[in-house]
Amino acid sequence: MPRFADHSERRTAIADALINVIAQRGIEAVSIRSIAAEAGVSAGTVQHYFSSKQEIFDFAVASLRVRASARIAEHLEVQASSPGASPGRQVARTVLKQVLPLDDASLRESKVALALHAHAVTHGGASSAQVADWEELRRFVVEEIHGGSDLLFADRMVMATALMGAAEGLSILALAGYVSKSEAAEAFDLLDRMLGN
Amino acid sequence: MPRFADHSERRTAIADALINVIAQRGIEAVSIRSIAAEAGVSAGTVQHYFSSKQEIFDFAVASLRVRASARIAEHLEVQASSPGASPGRQVARTVLKQVLPLDDASLRESKVALALHAHAVTHGGASSAQVADWEELRRFVVEEIHGGSDLLFADRMVMATALMGAAEGLSILALAGYVSKSEAAEAFDLLDRMLGN
């Protein structure tokens, strides 16, 4: 870590170390000591920047979300600048396809996100900040995917929930090796087509 | 543990202890020592029955699957004996609804299953036995859900994959608290209706 890194950079570097430890050895290998070793700092330094292991977990979850959002934003820019781009459905599909770890760049992060997800489930559930973030994404999908439809808002919420659940589940099935990436993508496309009509 | 428990009973009791540790304190609390303490035996006893922590994980995964199958079989018997029961679709829905932790009995086991799932993903993926089990379930869904349809087998596979992925993902969203159980069930029903036509 550079000597004059500011507070936020140090926290990010420590959260990155947590993500590396989980990606390489699983969540059970996480300790203040293993995070410190991975970050190349002392355990005391880690404890200076985070008051608990849980606080590092929360920061890592937020950090993974920021990265996923950045990838989504990048895809959207590419799409917006391509000829014949349709705004509504295409945007929502891009968002949901990012949940499916179809490229190697997001595969590693998806694995870590799943581990953090499972951790949250056995430790009292997602935080209210995480739920609020997820709700924001769902509202976005509701608005974008059926922007032109005259369906009731309640029905569109059910559709968005179904699609987001399917993206999440197919992602996990692919990550664990139950289905191939292309099978997961094909199944998601089927749902997307059916719900899009 | 009873003194004369046979080999298989002892292994089951140790796997149950693993499941309890994960449900109560998360997968990172798992160690030969914590499993032994939970089972009320010595660490040496645990190591006598299992050669590694991974072997206990694998046994616990298989044990959770047996329990889920028993619940499914029970539901199917109730359905088969009720008047007007339609065999095909109803059977598949029962199977998939069991994946959604809608009752408290399966909620605890679903949390543990998710943790074990995440563990597999960061440790080389599901075992070939787990993949074979899952494939068997998918074939069952393919056969049952569209027993009367003349769709191509390949299309039915995609549908089954989509439904199983959605059940898995909606289950996790509900477990983590992103959606309520009834929202998850409603979204699953929507997909099931759409794919059933």
Side-chain angles (χ1 to χ4, degrees):
Chain A
M1 242 182 264
R3 184 177 289 180
F4 297 106
D6 70 10
H7 190 74
S8 155
E9 277 172 7
R10 288 236 165 185
R11 282 170 65 95
T12 301
I14 291 167
D16 283 350
L18 167 72
I19 289 168
N20 286 340
V21 170
I22 295 174
Q24 285 156 22
R25 289 181 282 150
I27 205 155
E28 74 277 19
V30 172
S31 65
I32 296 295
R33 188 180 294 197
S34 66
I35 296 169
E38 178 69 27
V41 300
S42 71
T45 301
V46 172
Q47 284 162 327
H48 174 75
Y49 286 97
F50 292 97
S51 64
S52 67
K53 212 162 77 170
Q54 187 56 49
E55 207 184 312
I56 312 179
F57 278 113
D58 291 344
F59 190 80
V61 168
S63 156
L64 284 173
R65 197 173 287 273
V66 167
R67 291 187 208 181
S69 298
R71 275 202 304 274
I72 290 168
E74 203 177 300
H75 276 253
L76 291 181
E77 272 174 36
V78 172
Q79 281 183 1
S81 64
S82 68
S86 75
R89 279 177 59 70
Q90 200 62 17
V91 172
R93 288 192 56 176
T94 301
V95 171
L96 289 165
K97 282 226 159 177
Q98 280 300 312
V99 178
L100 285 170
L102 298 177
D103 59 273
D104 291 338
S106 59
L107 183 66
R108 184 172 159 282
E109 289 181 13
S110 296
K111 287 185 182 185
V112 174
L114 174 60
L116 290 170
H117 226 84
H119 183 264
V121 163
T122 47
H123 291 80
S127 72
S128 54
Q130 285 163 32
V131 173
D133 276 353
W134 189 85
E135 191 54 45
E136 197 184 327
L137 180 59
R138 176 160 67 166
R139 295 287 166 144
F140 175 77
V141 174
V142 166
E143 293 307 322
E144 295 298 322
I145 208 164
H146 296 288
S149 117
D150 55 359
L151 281 167
L152 291 175
F153 181 77
D155 292 332
R156 288 151 65 188
M157 281 287 276
V158 178
M159 287 181 175
T161 306
L163 271 179
M164 291 173 76
E168 186 80 35
L170 289 167
S171 152
I172 289 168
L173 293 179
L175 280 174
Y178 290 106
V179 299
S180 67
K181 287 181 187 181
S182 63
E183 276 181 296
E186 201 181 358
F188 181 77
D189 283 341
L190 172 71
L191 295 180
D192 192 42
R193 276 200 310 278
M194 290 191 138
L195 292 173
N197 292 328
Chain B
M1 242 183 266
R3 184 177 292 182
F4 298 106
D6 69 12
H7 189 76
S8 154
E9 277 172 6
R10 287 236 166 184
R11 282 169 66 93
T12 301
I14 291 167
D16 283 350
L18 167 72
I19 291 168
N20 286 340
V21 170
I22 295 174
Q24 286 157 22
R25 290 181 282 150
I27 204 154
E28 74 277 20
V30 172
S31 64
I32 296 293
R33 187 180 292 198
S34 66
I35 296 170
E38 179 68 27
V41 300
S42 70
T45 300
V46 172
Q47 284 162 325
H48 174 75
Y49 287 96
F50 291 96
S51 63
S52 67
K53 213 163 76 170
Q54 188 56 49
E55 206 184 313
I56 313 179
F57 278 112
D58 291 343
F59 191 81
V61 168
S63 155
L64 284 172
R65 197 174 286 273
V66 167
R67 291 187 208 179
S69 298
R71 275 202 304 275
I72 290 168
E74 203 177 300
H75 276 254
L76 292 181
E77 274 174 35
V78 171
Q79 281 183 2
S81 64
S82 69
S86 73
R89 278 179 59 70
Q90 201 62 18
V91 171
R93 289 193 55 175
T94 301
V95 170
L96 289 165
K97 281 227 158 176
Q98 280 300 313
V99 178
L100 286 170
L102 299 175
D103 58 274
D104 291 339
S106 59
L107 184 65
R108 184 172 159 283
E109 291 181 12
S110 296
K111 286 184 182 184
V112 175
L114 174 61
L116 290 170
H117 226 82
H119 182 264
V121 164
T122 47
H123 290 79
S127 71
S128 54
Q130 285 164 32
V131 172
D133 276 354
W134 189 84
E135 192 53 45
E136 196 184 329
L137 180 60
R138 176 160 67 164
R139 294 286 166 143
F140 176 76
V141 173
V142 166
E143 293 305 323
E144 295 297 321
I145 208 165
H146 297 290
S149 116
D150 55 0
L151 281 168
L152 292 176
F153 181 77
D155 292 332
R156 288 150 68 188
M157 281 287 277
V158 178
M159 286 181 174
T161 305
L163 271 180
M164 290 172 77
E168 186 80 36
L170 289 167
S171 152
I172 290 169
L173 293 179
L175 280 173
Y178 290 106
V179 299
S180 67
K181 287 180 188 182
S182 62
E183 276 181 295
E186 203 181 355
F188 182 76
D189 283 341
L190 172 71
L191 295 180
D192 191 43
R193 276 200 309 279
M194 293 192 137
L195 291 174
N197 291 329

